[in-house]
């Protein structure tokens, strides 16, 4: 229950969290600190609206690598991990090899990123862009709906 409440609102004070989960503040804080210490809670962050930060255009891109070796894959992953425009990068089973979530200002900025950066990464054979028509269900957290 602590995790669910913090996932919904990471800014809850310890007193408010304790009240919501039916604990007194001291044991509640102890449990939260333990969850942080063991790595269940990895951190806290604000949910930002990209349209206010020149990051409102967020396409997905699938990437297929050329047949290569482990070194090529690790080099590609290191380069992708260093790109601030790439919000998420997932290695997939089968084809394609990767799914990337990218954030840039607009389609013109994406075209530039695609041509000048993404397609020039080591080992890239093909990049396919997928544009979102509508977010049907956004990231509400791991415990959303498990109350």
């Amino acid at each position: 229950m602590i995790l669910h409440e913090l996932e919904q609102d990471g800014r809850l004070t310890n007193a408010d969290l304790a009240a919501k989960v039916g604990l007194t503040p001291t044991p509640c804080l102890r449990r939260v600190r333990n969850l942080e210490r063991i790595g269940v809670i990895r951190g806290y962050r604000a949910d930002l609206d990209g349209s206010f930060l020149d990051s409102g255009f967020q396409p997905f891109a699938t990437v297929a690598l050329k047949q290569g070796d482990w070194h090529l894959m690790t080099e590609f992953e290191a380069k992708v991990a260093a790109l601030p425009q790439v919000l998420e990068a997932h290695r997939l089973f089968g084809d394609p090899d990767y799914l990337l979530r990218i954030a840039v200002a607009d389609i013109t900025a994406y075209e530039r990123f695609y041509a000048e950066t993404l397609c020039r990464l080591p080992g890239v054979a093909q990049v396919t862009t997928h544009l979102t028509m509508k977010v049907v269900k956004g990231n509400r957290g791991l415990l959303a709906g498990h109350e």
Side-chain angles (χ1 to χ4, degrees):
M1 188 127 188
I2 288 174
L3 294 173
H4 172 35
E5 294 299 334
L6 285 176
E7 195 171 49
Q8 296 308 303
D9 183 0
R11 294 185 68 188
L12 281 173
T13 66
N14 184 59
D16 289 341
L17 177 61
K20 284 182 177 261
V21 300
L23 293 171
T24 57
T26 300
C28 182
L29 183 59
R30 193 175 322 125
R31 290 181 188 186
V32 170
R33 294 292 183 245
N34 186 53
L35 291 166
E36 292 169 345
R37 182 183 58 75
I38 65 174
V40 174
I41 298 174
R42 295 186 294 197
Y44 302 88
R45 69 184 80 199
D47 184 9
L48 306 177
D49 184 337
S51 62
F52 289 98
L53 304 167
D54 284 337
S55 298
F57 187 73
Q58 296 186 10
F60 290 89
T62 54
V63 179
L65 296 184
K66 299 171 188 166
Q67 294 296 348
D69 58 17
W70 184 260
H71 174 73
L72 182 65
M73 184 173 52
T74 56
E75 185 181 359
F76 172 82
E77 289 180 6
K79 298 279 188 186
V80 164
L83 294 171
Q85 299 91 336
V86 177
L87 301 180
E88 296 178 39
H90 303 268
R91 188 186 320 159
L92 306 175
F93 284 103
D95 291 324
D97 298 304
Y98 293 91
L99 173 66
L100 311 179
R101 185 166 71 99
I102 297 163
V104 291
D106 53 30
I107 197 162
T108 303
Y110 179 69
E111 179 186 14
R112 189 170 44 258
F113 176 74
Y114 175 91
E116 296 174 6
T117 304
L118 198 54
C119 290
R120 295 181 182 188
L121 290 172
V124 170
Q126 181 180 4
V127 176
T128 304
T129 301
H130 306 270
L131 301 179
T132 302
M133 181 185 305
K134 171 182 163 183
V135 177
V136 176
K137 182 177 182 178
N139 183 353
R140 295 181 33 225
L142 290 173
L143 299 179
H146 290 90
E147 297 121 38

